[in-house]
Amino acid sequence: MTDRPDQQTMESAETALRHVKPAVRALGAYTLKPYEPHIKLNQNESPYDVPRALKERIHAMLAERPWNRYPPFVASNFIQAVSEATRWPGDGILVANGSNELIQSVLAVTVGPGVSVVIPEPTFTLYRLMTAVNGGTAVSVALADDLRFDVDAIIRAAVDTDAAVVVLCSPNNPTGSSLTRDEILRIHDATDALILLDQAYVEFGGYDAIPLLQGRPRLVVLRTFSKAMAMAGLRAGYMLAAPALTAEVNKAKLPYNINFFTECAAAEVLRCRSELAPLVASISAERDRIHAEMRMIPGLRVYPSDANFILFRVEAPGVAHTEVFDRLLEDHGVLVRDVSKYPMLDRCLRVNAGTPAENDAFLDGLRSIMTQGEG
Ligand code: PMP
């Protein structure tokens, strides 16, 4: 006997798909092509693993845990560590499997049909995707020509559409531009929307908005362990907001979303973050060095960045950005990110800071591609 339907009873896939929301069917999925490069500079990860001794301490703690038991209902050890690090009360903190999950949860409790979400673009694509999945309307506000935030246009769009949420990614992925304290406050004060401030890269530069949370119940700050904290593989992130709003967002979060490996590792890494601080400082210094060196290479426009990556446009008339991408990968073993399909980013690539040796390989490769045939 088999459960496979015979030809006559076989239904077309359309019978299932007609129940999927049209706004979802119209979307392209968030994806990333798999490559196995020698030097991987395409996902804004830390080039440095968590220090060996710290990992071993965490392994020993995990070995003691009963794997047959659920983790605690509230990830209180992790929340306590976040609370100590941020000086924000535990009932205003949610932890999750990466900040992705918190973007999803915040938008799940705020967005539905007829609800507007203001999104300055180009930016991280998940905001638009999750807005559409929830049936809301993404109101795109273009960055200025120099790819800085257009604060007046953001305010105008939020007021005109009576937006429920304004999403601000600062420093912004993939441009590297960030908002100042005053700019965040101007947007906050001129609108009555929730301000969802994604600070995934703030350890590398830009204004850290945690001090603004006090007394501002419409402000939500998201942070991740995937970049400066060197833990992308374990998936951890957190949200800071007023306790009343946090309790509402918590309703959209799945129970036991954080497994105890992640909870234990994230809490421990956070408590020992001074061990990671020199690595974070060296990544920011390398970002500045790559930026200065890239600016000397002809045919490129290199944008300033407060994050651990740099956006650049291939402007030389005879060189396609796809050729730069392919030759970096094939001839030099360096994988960067092609972001040319984002709005405003025609011919643009993004590279994240790696180790000094990785960055040298990238710079040598880029220099030779861009200067070949010159002179
Ligand atoms: N926000 C931004 C701006 C990002 O660039 C990313 C990852 N690329 C995330 C959130 C998601 O990070 P996490 O790994 O914490 O889900």
Side-chain angles (χ1 to χ4, degrees):
M1 284 293 283
T2 165
D3 286 342
R4 188 170 299 181
D6 64 29
Q7 216 54 17
Q8 261 154 23
T9 59
M10 190 114 79
E11 283 185 12
S12 130
E14 201 50 40
T15 59
L17 298 186
R18 72 197 160 88
H19 297 301
V20 176
K21 296 183 233 181
V24 172
R25 293 199 64 190
L27 293 170
Y30 183 86
T31 78
L32 188 63
K33 258 198 196 165
Y35 291 98
E36 284 185 12
H38 180 53
I39 298 177
K40 187 171 183 305
L41 303 177
N42 69 328
Q43 281 192 282
N44 302 340
E45 298 150 316
S46 174
Y48 303 109
D49 199 351
V50 169
R52 187 89 223 162
L54 181 48
K55 265 186 161 177
E56 276 164 13
R57 280 209 301 281
I58 295 166
H59 288 158
M61 291 176 185
L62 291 170
E64 291 308 310
R65 294 284 292 256
W67 290 21
N68 57 323
R69 301 295 178 193
Y70 279 100
F73 191 75
V74 177
S76 42
N77 179 37
F78 184 9
I79 290 174
Q80 181 61 29
V82 172
S83 181
E84 285 159 16
T86 58
R87 297 169 193 276
W88 189 247
D91 56 357
I93 297 171
L94 287 183
V95 293
N97 267 296
S99 49
N100 276 343
E101 200 184 27
L102 293 162
I103 295 168
Q104 182 186 43
S105 303
V106 172
L107 295 180
V109 302
T110 51
V111 177
V115 173
S116 293
V117 178
V118 168
I119 308 177
E121 289 183 312
T123 191
F124 188 42
T125 50
L126 201 66
Y127 315 132
R128 170 175 281 279
L129 197 72
M130 285 299 136
T131 299
V133 166
N134 286 296
T137 306
V139 178
S140 183
V141 178
L143 298 184
D145 287 343
D146 58 2
L147 300 183
R148 299 197 151 276
F149 287 89
D150 185 341
V151 172
D152 292 330
I154 294 168
I155 293 171
R156 228 178 300 122
V159 172
D160 289 353
T161 63
D162 192 20
V165 183
V166 175
V167 185
L168 301 173
C169 182
S170 181
N172 186 40
N173 177 14
T175 61
S177 45
S178 62
L179 287 156
T180 63
R181 177 180 184 279
D182 282 356
E183 288 173 327
I184 295 167
L185 286 178
R186 265 179 64 207
I187 296 168
H188 175 274
D189 294 351
T191 69
D192 55 18
L194 285 191
I195 307 296
L196 180 57
L197 184 57
D198 184 345
Q199 298 218 292
Y201 299 96
V202 78
E203 291 91 341
F204 303 107
Y207 175 69
D208 181 341
I210 290 177
L212 298 185
L213 282 164
Q214 191 66 52
R216 291 189 181 83
R218 288 184 290 111
L219 182 60
V220 179
V221 174
L222 300 184
R223 303 279 294 260
T224 181
F225 280 65
S226 300
K227 315 296 174 184
M229 305 300 280
M231 272 189 37
L234 285 192
R235 315 297 302 121
Y238 59 91
M239 180 192 101
L240 307 176
L245 180 63
T246 304
E248 297 303 320
V249 178
N250 188 37
K251 295 176 185 171
K253 192 180 74 55
L254 291 178
Y256 307 110
N257 61 327
I258 284 273
N259 67 71
F260 67 70
F261 275 58
T262 298
E263 155 158 55
C264 173
E268 205 52 26
V269 166
L270 198 53
R271 292 198 170 106
C272 302
R273 64 192 177 285
S274 60
E275 291 181 42
L276 294 180
L279 301 176
V280 175
S282 85
I283 294 167
S284 300
E286 278 295 294
R287 181 262 332 271
D288 292 342
R289 179 178 76 93
I290 306 168
H291 188 267
E293 298 215 19
M294 287 174 77
R295 289 192 50 189
M296 315 281 281
I297 300 175
L300 300 179
R301 173 158 184 189
V302 187
Y303 291 91
S305 173
D306 284 325
N308 63 339
F309 55 80
I310 292 171
L311 179 77
F312 61 105
R313 175 175 270 126
V314 179
E315 290 193 328
V319 190
H321 71 282
T322 46
E323 184 188 341
V324 175
F325 178 95
D326 290 344
R327 292 203 41 207
L328 277 170
L329 186 60
E330 286 157 23
D331 302 349
H332 303 275
V334 178
L335 178 63
V336 298
R337 187 74 156 257
D338 181 347
V339 290
S340 61
K341 297 282 190 307
Y342 284 69
M344 302 178 80
L345 300 189
D346 189 34
R347 297 172 64 97
C348 284
L349 301 174
R350 188 194 73 193
V351 62
N352 70 255
T355 63
E358 290 174 335
N359 300 333
D360 284 342
F362 161 71
L363 288 166
D364 289 347
L366 188 62
R367 232 178 259 119
S368 86
I369 296 164
M370 296 306 295
T371 55
Q372 147 218 68
E374 276 208 339

Short mmCIF file of all heavy atoms in Angstrom, two decimals, residues 85-133:
data_model
loop_
_atom_site.label_atom_id
_atom_site.label_comp_id
_atom_site.label_asym_id
_atom_site.label_seq_id
_atom_site.Cartn_x
_atom_site.Cartn_y
_atom_site.Cartn_z
N ALA A 85 23.89 44.12 31.21
CA ALA A 85 24.73 44.78 30.20
C ALA A 85 24.12 46.10 29.73
O ALA A 85 24.85 47.02 29.37
CB ALA A 85 24.94 43.84 29.01
N THR A 86 22.79 46.17 29.70
CA THR A 86 22.13 47.36 29.12
C THR A 86 21.56 48.29 30.19
O THR A 86 21.13 49.39 29.86
CB THR A 86 20.96 46.93 28.21
OG1 THR A 86 20.03 46.16 29.00
CG2 THR A 86 21.44 46.09 27.05
N ARG A 87 21.51 47.81 31.44
CA ARG A 87 20.86 48.54 32.53
C ARG A 87 19.39 48.84 32.19
O ARG A 87 18.88 49.93 32.49
CB ARG A 87 21.59 49.85 32.85
CG ARG A 87 22.99 49.61 33.34
CD ARG A 87 23.76 50.91 33.38
NE ARG A 87 25.17 50.63 33.55
CZ ARG A 87 25.75 50.41 34.72
NH1 ARG A 87 25.05 50.48 35.83
NH2 ARG A 87 27.05 50.15 34.80
N TRP A 88 18.75 47.90 31.53
CA TRP A 88 17.33 48.02 31.21
C TRP A 88 16.60 46.90 31.94
O TRP A 88 17.11 45.78 32.01
CB TRP A 88 17.14 47.92 29.69
CG TRP A 88 15.74 48.24 29.25
CD1 TRP A 88 14.84 47.38 28.70
CD2 TRP A 88 15.08 49.51 29.32
NE1 TRP A 88 13.67 48.02 28.43
CE2 TRP A 88 13.78 49.33 28.81
CE3 TRP A 88 15.45 50.78 29.78
CZ2 TRP A 88 12.85 50.38 28.74
CZ3 TRP A 88 14.52 51.80 29.71
CH2 TRP A 88 13.24 51.61 29.19
N PRO A 89 15.41 47.17 32.50
CA PRO A 89 14.76 46.14 33.33
C PRO A 89 14.35 44.90 32.54
O PRO A 89 13.97 44.99 31.37
CB PRO A 89 13.52 46.86 33.87
CG PRO A 89 13.33 48.05 33.01
CD PRO A 89 14.66 48.43 32.44
N GLY A 90 14.44 43.76 33.21
CA GLY A 90 14.16 42.47 32.56
C GLY A 90 12.76 42.38 31.97
O GLY A 90 12.56 41.70 30.96
N ASP A 91 11.77 43.07 32.58
CA ASP A 91 10.41 42.96 32.01
C ASP A 91 10.25 43.82 30.75
O ASP A 91 9.19 43.83 30.13
CB ASP A 91 9.32 43.26 33.05
CG ASP A 91 9.48 44.63 33.69
OD1 ASP A 91 10.47 45.34 33.38
OD2 ASP A 91 8.64 45.01 34.53
N GLY A 92 11.31 44.52 30.35
CA GLY A 92 11.32 45.24 29.07
C GLY A 92 12.26 44.58 28.07
O GLY A 92 12.70 45.22 27.12
N ILE A 93 12.56 43.29 28.29
CA ILE A 93 13.51 42.59 27.42
C ILE A 93 12.87 41.31 26.88
O ILE A 93 12.28 40.54 27.64
CB ILE A 93 14.80 42.22 28.20
CG1 ILE A 93 15.51 43.48 28.68
CG2 ILE A 93 15.73 41.35 27.34
CD1 ILE A 93 16.67 43.23 29.65
N LEU A 94 13.00 41.09 25.57
CA LEU A 94 12.66 39.78 24.98
C LEU A 94 13.89 39.25 24.29
O LEU A 94 14.63 40.03 23.66
CB LEU A 94 11.55 39.92 23.93
CG LEU A 94 10.13 40.19 24.40
CD1 LEU A 94 9.20 40.22 23.18
CD2 LEU A 94 9.67 39.13 25.40
N VAL A 95 14.11 37.95 24.40
CA VAL A 95 15.25 37.34 23.70
C VAL A 95 14.70 36.35 22.68
O VAL A 95 13.61 35.82 22.85
CB VAL A 95 16.23 36.65 24.68
CG1 VAL A 95 16.90 37.68 25.56
CG2 VAL A 95 15.53 35.58 25.51
N ALA A 96 15.46 36.14 21.61
CA ALA A 96 14.94 35.31 20.52
C ALA A 96 16.08 34.70 19.71
O ALA A 96 17.24 35.01 19.93
CB ALA A 96 14.05 36.16 19.62
N ASN A 97 15.67 33.86 18.77
CA ASN A 97 16.58 33.20 17.83
C ASN A 97 17.06 34.19 16.79
O ASN A 97 16.64 34.12 15.62
CB ASN A 97 15.81 32.11 17.08
CG ASN A 97 15.94 30.79 17.73
OD1 ASN A 97 17.03 30.25 17.80
ND2 ASN A 97 14.84 30.28 18.22
N GLY A 98 17.89 35.08 17.17
CA GLY A 98 18.32 36.12 16.24
C GLY A 98 17.33 37.26 16.28
O GLY A 98 16.16 37.09 16.67
N SER A 99 17.80 38.45 15.87
CA SER A 99 16.90 39.60 15.89
C SER A 99 15.85 39.48 14.79
O SER A 99 14.79 40.11 14.87
CB SER A 99 17.67 40.91 15.80
OG SER A 99 18.58 40.86 14.75
N ASN A 100 16.11 38.64 13.79
CA ASN A 100 15.09 38.35 12.76
C ASN A 100 13.74 38.02 13.39
O ASN A 100 12.69 38.48 12.95
CB ASN A 100 15.50 37.10 11.98
CG ASN A 100 16.47 37.40 10.86
OD1 ASN A 100 16.60 38.54 10.47
ND2 ASN A 100 17.12 36.39 10.37
N GLU A 101 13.82 37.16 14.40
CA GLU A 101 12.58 36.67 15.00
C GLU A 101 11.85 37.80 15.73
O GLU A 101 10.62 37.79 15.83
CB GLU A 101 12.92 35.54 15.98
CG GLU A 101 11.73 34.68 16.27
CD GLU A 101 12.02 33.61 17.32
OE1 GLU A 101 12.91 33.81 18.18
OE2 GLU A 101 11.36 32.59 17.27
N LEU A 102 12.59 38.76 16.22
CA LEU A 102 11.97 39.88 16.92
C LEU A 102 11.37 40.89 15.95
O LEU A 102 10.34 41.51 16.24
CB LEU A 102 12.98 40.52 17.86
CG LEU A 102 13.36 39.57 19.01
CD1 LEU A 102 14.65 40.01 19.68
CD2 LEU A 102 12.23 39.47 20.02
N ILE A 103 11.99 41.03 14.79
CA ILE A 103 11.39 41.86 13.72
C ILE A 103 10.03 41.25 13.38
O ILE A 103 9.01 41.94 13.31
CB ILE A 103 12.30 41.87 12.46
CG1 ILE A 103 13.64 42.55 12.76
CG2 ILE A 103 11.59 42.54 11.29
CD1 ILE A 103 14.71 42.35 11.68
N GLN A 104 10.03 39.93 13.24
CA GLN A 104 8.79 39.22 12.91
C GLN A 104 7.74 39.42 14.02
O GLN A 104 6.59 39.73 13.74
CB GLN A 104 9.11 37.73 12.76
CG GLN A 104 7.92 36.88 12.38
CD GLN A 104 8.29 35.41 12.38
OE1 GLN A 104 8.98 34.92 13.28
NE2 GLN A 104 7.85 34.70 11.37
N SER A 105 8.16 39.28 15.29
CA SER A 105 7.19 39.38 16.39
C SER A 105 6.63 40.79 16.52
O SER A 105 5.42 40.97 16.74
CB SER A 105 7.84 38.99 17.72
OG SER A 105 8.36 37.70 17.65
N VAL A 106 7.49 41.80 16.42
CA VAL A 106 7.00 43.18 16.55
C VAL A 106 6.00 43.48 15.44
O VAL A 106 4.92 44.04 15.67
CB VAL A 106 8.17 44.20 16.52
CG1 VAL A 106 7.64 45.62 16.45
CG2 VAL A 106 9.07 44.03 17.73
N LEU A 107 6.33 43.07 14.21
CA LEU A 107 5.43 43.38 13.09
C LEU A 107 4.16 42.51 13.17
O LEU A 107 3.08 42.95 12.76
CB LEU A 107 6.16 43.23 11.75
CG LEU A 107 7.30 44.24 11.57
CD1 LEU A 107 8.00 44.05 10.23
CD2 LEU A 107 6.83 45.70 11.69
N ALA A 108 4.26 41.32 13.76
CA ALA A 108 3.06 40.46 13.89
C ALA A 108 2.03 41.10 14.80
O ALA A 108 0.82 40.96 14.57
CB ALA A 108 3.45 39.09 14.42
N VAL A 109 2.46 41.83 15.83
CA VAL A 109 1.47 42.40 16.76
C VAL A 109 1.04 43.82 16.37
O VAL A 109 0.16 44.39 17.02
CB VAL A 109 1.96 42.40 18.24
CG1 VAL A 109 2.29 40.98 18.69
CG2 VAL A 109 3.12 43.33 18.47
N THR A 110 1.66 44.37 15.34
CA THR A 110 1.32 45.75 14.98
C THR A 110 0.70 45.88 13.58
O THR A 110 0.01 46.86 13.31
CB THR A 110 2.57 46.66 15.02
OG1 THR A 110 3.61 46.05 14.26
CG2 THR A 110 3.05 46.89 16.45
N VAL A 111 1.00 44.93 12.69
CA VAL A 111 0.67 45.12 11.27
C VAL A 111 -0.46 44.20 10.83
O VAL A 111 -0.48 43.02 11.18
CB VAL A 111 1.93 44.86 10.41
CG1 VAL A 111 1.59 44.99 8.92
CG2 VAL A 111 3.02 45.85 10.78
N GLY A 112 -1.37 44.75 10.07
CA GLY A 112 -2.45 43.98 9.45
C GLY A 112 -2.93 44.76 8.23
O GLY A 112 -2.35 45.80 7.89
N PRO A 113 -4.00 44.30 7.58
CA PRO A 113 -4.51 45.00 6.41
C PRO A 113 -4.83 46.46 6.74
O PRO A 113 -5.41 46.75 7.80
CB PRO A 113 -5.78 44.22 6.04
CG PRO A 113 -5.52 42.84 6.60
CD PRO A 113 -4.73 43.04 7.85
N GLY A 114 -4.42 47.36 5.87
CA GLY A 114 -4.71 48.78 6.06
C GLY A 114 -3.71 49.50 6.96
O GLY A 114 -3.83 50.70 7.18
N VAL A 115 -2.71 48.77 7.47
CA VAL A 115 -1.72 49.40 8.37
C VAL A 115 -0.45 49.72 7.57
O VAL A 115 0.06 48.89 6.83
CB VAL A 115 -1.39 48.44 9.55
CG1 VAL A 115 -0.24 48.98 10.37
CG2 VAL A 115 -2.63 48.21 10.40
N SER A 116 0.04 50.94 7.76
CA SER A 116 1.25 51.37 7.04
C SER A 116 2.50 51.25 7.90
O SER A 116 2.47 51.58 9.09
CB SER A 116 1.13 52.83 6.61
OG SER A 116 0.13 52.95 5.65
N VAL A 117 3.56 50.80 7.27
CA VAL A 117 4.87 50.71 7.91
C VAL A 117 5.85 51.50 7.05
O VAL A 117 6.03 51.18 5.87
CB VAL A 117 5.35 49.24 8.02
CG1 VAL A 117 6.73 49.16 8.64
CG2 VAL A 117 4.34 48.41 8.83
N VAL A 118 6.43 52.53 7.63
CA VAL A 118 7.38 53.36 6.87
C VAL A 118 8.76 52.71 6.92
O VAL A 118 9.26 52.37 8.00
CB VAL A 118 7.42 54.79 7.43
CG1 VAL A 118 8.60 55.58 6.86
CG2 VAL A 118 6.10 55.49 7.10
N ILE A 119 9.34 52.51 5.74
CA ILE A 119 10.64 51.84 5.64
C ILE A 119 11.57 52.66 4.74
O ILE A 119 11.36 52.72 3.53
CB ILE A 119 10.49 50.40 5.06
CG1 ILE A 119 9.44 49.61 5.85
CG2 ILE A 119 11.84 49.68 5.05
CD1 ILE A 119 9.17 48.21 5.32
N PRO A 120 12.58 53.32 5.33
CA PRO A 120 13.57 53.99 4.48
C PRO A 120 14.35 52.92 3.70
O PRO A 120 14.81 51.95 4.31
CB PRO A 120 14.50 54.71 5.48
CG PRO A 120 13.71 54.77 6.77
CD PRO A 120 12.84 53.55 6.76
N GLU A 121 14.44 53.07 2.39
CA GLU A 121 15.11 52.05 1.57
C GLU A 121 16.13 52.68 0.64
O GLU A 121 15.94 53.82 0.25
CB GLU A 121 14.06 51.28 0.75
CG GLU A 121 13.21 50.36 1.63
CD GLU A 121 12.21 49.52 0.84
OE1 GLU A 121 11.50 50.09 0.00
OE2 GLU A 121 12.13 48.31 1.09
N PRO A 122 17.19 51.96 0.29
CA PRO A 122 17.45 50.55 0.52
C PRO A 122 17.80 50.24 1.97
O PRO A 122 18.48 51.01 2.64
CB PRO A 122 18.66 50.25 -0.37
CG PRO A 122 19.37 51.56 -0.50
CD PRO A 122 18.28 52.59 -0.51
N THR A 123 17.32 49.07 2.43
CA THR A 123 17.64 48.60 3.78
C THR A 123 17.50 47.08 3.82
O THR A 123 17.27 46.44 2.78
CB THR A 123 16.75 49.30 4.83
OG1 THR A 123 17.24 49.04 6.13
CG2 THR A 123 15.30 48.81 4.76
N PHE A 124 17.61 46.51 4.99
CA PHE A 124 17.45 45.07 5.20
C PHE A 124 16.06 44.66 4.68
O PHE A 124 15.06 45.26 5.07
CB PHE A 124 17.59 44.81 6.70
CG PHE A 124 17.66 43.38 7.10
CD1 PHE A 124 18.40 42.46 6.38
CD2 PHE A 124 16.99 42.95 8.25
CE1 PHE A 124 18.47 41.13 6.79
CE2 PHE A 124 17.06 41.64 8.67
CZ PHE A 124 17.80 40.72 7.92
N THR A 125 16.00 43.62 3.84
CA THR A 125 14.76 43.32 3.12
C THR A 125 13.67 42.67 3.99
O THR A 125 12.51 42.65 3.61
CB THR A 125 15.03 42.40 1.92
OG1 THR A 125 15.81 41.30 2.37
CG2 THR A 125 15.74 43.12 0.82
N LEU A 126 14.05 42.17 5.15
CA LEU A 126 13.08 41.44 5.97
C LEU A 126 11.92 42.33 6.46
O LEU A 126 10.81 41.85 6.67
CB LEU A 126 13.80 40.82 7.18
CG LEU A 126 13.07 39.67 7.84
CD1 LEU A 126 12.98 38.47 6.90
CD2 LEU A 126 13.81 39.24 9.11
N TYR A 127 12.18 43.62 6.64
CA TYR A 127 11.12 44.51 7.14
C TYR A 127 9.94 44.54 6.16
O TYR A 127 8.79 44.44 6.54
CB TYR A 127 11.62 45.95 7.35
CG TYR A 127 12.95 46.09 8.05
CD1 TYR A 127 13.93 46.93 7.54
CD2 TYR A 127 13.21 45.39 9.22
CE1 TYR A 127 15.15 47.08 8.18
CE2 TYR A 127 14.44 45.54 9.86
CZ TYR A 127 15.40 46.37 9.34
OH TYR A 127 16.61 46.52 9.96
N ARG A 128 10.29 44.68 4.88
CA ARG A 128 9.27 44.74 3.84
C ARG A 128 8.55 43.38 3.72
O ARG A 128 7.34 43.30 3.60
CB ARG A 128 9.94 45.13 2.52
CG ARG A 128 9.08 45.00 1.30
CD ARG A 128 9.81 45.53 0.09
NE ARG A 128 9.75 46.97 0.04
CZ ARG A 128 8.71 47.67 -0.42
NH1 ARG A 128 7.66 47.05 -0.88
NH2 ARG A 128 8.74 48.99 -0.42
N LEU A 129 9.36 42.33 3.78
CA LEU A 129 8.81 40.97 3.65
C LEU A 129 7.80 40.69 4.76
O LEU A 129 6.68 40.23 4.53
CB LEU A 129 9.97 39.98 3.72
CG LEU A 129 9.75 38.58 3.22
CD1 LEU A 129 9.64 38.55 1.71
CD2 LEU A 129 10.91 37.68 3.65
N MET A 130 8.17 41.00 6.00
CA MET A 130 7.30 40.70 7.15
C MET A 130 6.07 41.62 7.17
O MET A 130 5.01 41.21 7.61
CB MET A 130 8.07 40.84 8.46
CG MET A 130 9.00 39.70 8.72
SD MET A 130 8.06 38.16 8.82
CE MET A 130 9.07 37.09 7.86
N THR A 131 6.24 42.84 6.68
CA THR A 131 5.08 43.73 6.56
C THR A 131 4.07 43.13 5.59
O THR A 131 2.87 43.06 5.89
CB THR A 131 5.53 45.13 6.06
OG1 THR A 131 6.44 45.67 7.03
CG2 THR A 131 4.36 46.07 5.88
N ALA A 132 4.56 42.63 4.46
CA ALA A 132 3.66 42.05 3.46
C ALA A 132 3.03 40.75 3.98
O ALA A 132 1.83 40.52 3.79
CB ALA A 132 4.42 41.79 2.16
N VAL A 133 3.80 39.90 4.63
CA VAL A 133 3.26 38.64 5.16
C VAL A 133 2.11 38.93 6.12
O VAL A 133 1.12 38.20 6.17
CB VAL A 133 4.38 37.81 5.84
CG1 VAL A 133 3.80 36.68 6.67
CG2 VAL A 133 5.35 37.26 4.80
#
